[in-house]
Structure formats: C-alpha cells, structure tokens
Amino acid sequence: MIRFLLIALFLVIFLVLSIPVFLIEWIIGKFSPRARDISSLRIVQAGFKIIIWMSGIKLTVKGEENVPKDTAVLYIGNHRSYFDIVLTYARCPGLTGYVAKKEMLKIPLLSRWMKFLHCQFLDRSDIREGLKTILAAAEEIKNGVSIMIFPEGTRSTNESELDMLPFHEGSFKIATKTGCPIIPVAISGSSAAFEDHIPRVFPAHVTIEYGKPVYPKDLSREEQKFLGRRVQGTIAEMLKGLHSD
C-alpha cells in the first residue's frame, strides 16, 4: 500500500508543479512547436520513469530494433494494466500520441499534458465521433507523429493474458489510410504490478516485445479488411513465446 500512496503523491506533486511549466511550454510553442513537443515528451517520460522505479518494476524490452527510426508508426498493443501506458510511453523514441477514452479530458492538468503530446480522445459510444478520432490520428501520422492504440478498447480482465478481447478493426484505418508501418507490441506481466491486487502496487517483472513491422501496402485488400485479426494473431504468438521463455 505504501508504494501506491507514494506513486499517488508523486503524481499530485508532478501535476501541480506542471502549472508553471505549461506557461513555459506555451511560450516555447509560440516560437517552435517542435521544440515544445519534444520537451513535453521528455518531461512526461522522465515522470513515467520515476513511477516505474517507485513501483519496483523490472522491465525487459525485446525487439526495439524492429521500430523504424525514420517514419511515424502505428503501435498496436494488448492491454491489461494502467501500467501499459506508463511502460510503453517511457520507451517511445520520438513523438507519440496515444488514443485514449474521452473521459480522460475531465482530468485537469493531465489532459493538458495529453494534448501537448498529440493524444486523441475517443468516444466509444458514438461511432461517428469515433471515426473522426481515427481520422485525426491518421493526420498525426502524416505529420510525423506516431500513434499508440490498444484496439481491445478497454483493459482485458480475462484470467490469462493470452486470452485477449477482440481487436476493433476500425483502429487499423489509421494505417490503411496512411500506409504507415504497424508495430505489434506484446506486453506480458503488467497486471501483476497493480490490477491483480488493487490497490496495492507490487514489484513485477514486465516484458515488452516489439514485433516486426507490418506494411498494409504489402497486403491484399481482403487481408487489409481483417488486419486487426492478423495483428492480434501476431501478438498472441509473441505472448506465447514470452511465456515459454
């Protein structure tokens, strides 16, 4: 319970101290939006790395060489824990916006950071608004900002992390409309840090594996229609491999 309280206290302090930082970032953005984006990215990554350290998580990362360095990508991952966001964002090599549920907009200060970081907010109850969010994410890709999405739509609470929820095919329009590479991301062990024993935070060994990129342009139209099923199958195989290590 002590770890949880310390992390919660750190988050409050971080967000409160962010208030004057927002003004500085706003001024930087007036002269160089790119400089503001990069500084915001590094500040948030530093905060997330502190949270990882405070949680006692031991992180193993595999396959980072599979992530192209010269183009924006669409990261697709399985989702079982709030820590999935903290862990993966701390590893992003460049500007990356996450697709989050619209309810996050109600959280003061945090939502401001998310906007600085090009996050998109998805209304899961409105198909039309959801499509607008996906198209906005595609525009970010065209502008050189990578996007991360968890296409299960919510955290899976199934007993086994191998038992994922179905991936929403609409999420993959971000890639088919831009032609950007898709990077499958398998996250194993993250629920052991928090969700398996809420509200306590326990040290855990988490493994993140980045798969080889999938290029929509190399697939037939029929394969593109079921791109979500294909990528989910890839992540499932990666998770099985991680479990057998």
Side-chain angles (χ1 to χ4, degrees):
M1 193 66 178
I2 293 177
R3 288 181 188 272
F4 174 80
L5 293 174
L6 287 175
I7 291 171
L9 178 61
F10 171 78
L11 281 172
V12 171
I13 293 173
F14 180 88
L15 291 175
V16 170
L17 293 179
S18 294
I19 295 173
V21 176
F22 290 147
L23 176 59
I24 297 172
E25 292 290 82
W26 179 79
I27 294 172
I28 293 173
K30 286 293 183 181
F31 296 95
S32 175
R34 174 76 179 180
R36 181 205 62 195
D37 290 347
I38 294 297
S39 61
S40 295
L41 171 69
R42 300 310 179 202
I43 290 170
V44 172
Q45 284 183 321
F48 281 173
K49 287 175 181 177
I50 291 172
I51 290 174
I52 294 169
W53 174 76
M54 293 176 72
S55 69
I57 288 176
K58 177 185 177 182
L59 181 61
T60 298
V61 181
K62 299 182 177 183
E64 277 190 308
E65 68 277 5
N66 290 322
V67 182
K69 303 298 188 294
D70 58 349
T71 187
V73 305
L74 174 63
Y75 295 99
I76 295 289
N78 60 306
H79 191 27
R80 289 182 62 83
S81 172
Y82 291 116
F83 274 99
D84 295 338
I85 300 164
V86 174
L87 292 163
T88 54
Y89 203 76
R91 305 296 305 188
C92 291
L95 292 177
T96 305
Y98 278 48
V99 176
K101 57 186 179 182
K102 73 167 187 177
E103 287 78 8
M104 298 297 291
L105 284 168
K106 299 177 181 178
I107 304 177
L109 304 180
L110 176 60
S111 59
R112 173 54 56 186
W113 275 121
M114 294 177 74
K115 289 178 180 178
F116 274 169
L117 297 170
H118 297 268
C119 291
Q120 302 297 318
F121 300 92
L122 181 66
D123 185 347
R124 294 175 293 183
S125 64
D126 189 323
I127 295 177
R128 181 174 296 178
E129 288 301 314
L131 179 58
K132 288 181 180 179
T133 300
I134 295 300
L135 294 177
E139 285 301 312
E140 293 287 5
I141 291 279
K142 292 177 182 178
N143 291 327
V145 179
S146 294
I147 294 292
M148 175 89 183
I149 190 167
F150 300 108
E152 289 172 277
T154 187
R155 288 180 299 108
S156 171
T157 56
N158 293 330
E159 184 174 350
S160 171
E161 66 185 12
L162 298 176
D163 186 14
M164 292 177 278
L165 300 173
F167 280 15
H168 295 288
E169 293 287 345
S171 306
F172 292 84
K173 290 184 181 295
I174 298 171
T176 56
K177 287 185 174 296
T178 61
C180 74
I182 298 169
I183 305 297
V185 183
I187 307 168
S188 178
S190 57
S191 64
F194 183 56
E195 280 72 14
D196 291 351
H197 34 70
I198 291 175
R200 294 173 295 173
V201 175
F202 282 173
H205 182 200
V206 180
T207 302
I208 299 175
E209 181 174 2
Y210 297 88
K212 293 182 179 180
V214 177
Y215 292 90
K217 64 181 180 181
D218 294 338
L219 305 177
S220 67
R221 284 191 176 183
E222 189 64 23
E223 288 175 316
Q224 289 185 24
K225 287 181 182 179
F226 301 101
L227 193 49
R229 188 184 305 172
R230 178 194 180 106
V231 175
Q232 184 166 22
T234 298
I235 293 175
E237 289 301 315
M238 292 164 64
L239 288 170
K240 289 177 183 177
L242 294 177
H243 277 240
S244 63
D245 287 348

